[in-house]
Amino acid sequence: MDINRIINIVKAIPKNKLHDDKTIRKAIQEAGKAAGKTFSDAELNKYVRQFRGFAKGGSSLSLLSMLLKSGVTKSQIDDIKKKMGRK
């Protein structure tokens, strides 16, 4: 999984489009392709709901939990933190 590509896809979403389901859906599909995955409509709808919840100020711990369940490793999460300037 190329986490950098996925981060760039998410960063490319304009702030005024963070609540636009069509834009979020497209970004999730692109991220899935980057990870070699194809999502069903039900999965896309679930991920769009989760993304909207997180974009509204959801807990970073819930995002961390989702990432770990999705196969992202702790070292990849540490790399993300470094890129974001966090320790």
Side-chain angles (χ1 to χ4, degrees):
M1 174 188 303
D2 183 2
I3 200 73
N4 293 323
R5 179 164 173 172
I6 294 170
I7 290 170
N8 289 332
I9 291 167
V10 173
K11 279 183 172 180
I13 299 172
K15 289 189 181 205
N16 64 336
K17 296 282 188 171
L18 283 176
H19 302 290
D20 177 43
D21 287 358
K22 186 176 178 181
T23 303
I24 296 168
R25 194 175 174 91
K26 184 178 175 184
I28 292 170
Q29 286 175 321
E30 284 183 46
K33 285 180 188 175
K37 296 184 180 190
T38 304
F39 302 117
S40 69
D41 284 340
E43 288 173 315
L44 277 172
N45 291 336
K46 179 180 115 180
Y47 293 139
V48 167
R49 280 193 310 275
Q50 289 175 340
F51 186 88
R52 276 192 319 219
F54 185 74
K56 288 181 181 178
S59 166
S60 59
L61 290 176
S62 65
L63 178 62
L64 180 62
S65 174
M66 287 188 321
L67 288 171
L68 289 171
K69 286 179 186 176
S70 298
V72 175
T73 65
K74 180 161 177 358
S75 65
Q76 288 173 315
I77 291 171
D78 291 340
D79 289 342
I80 293 168
K81 285 181 184 178
K82 288 177 189 174
K83 288 175 193 247
M84 294 177 71
R86 297 187 181 186
K87 294 182 179 183

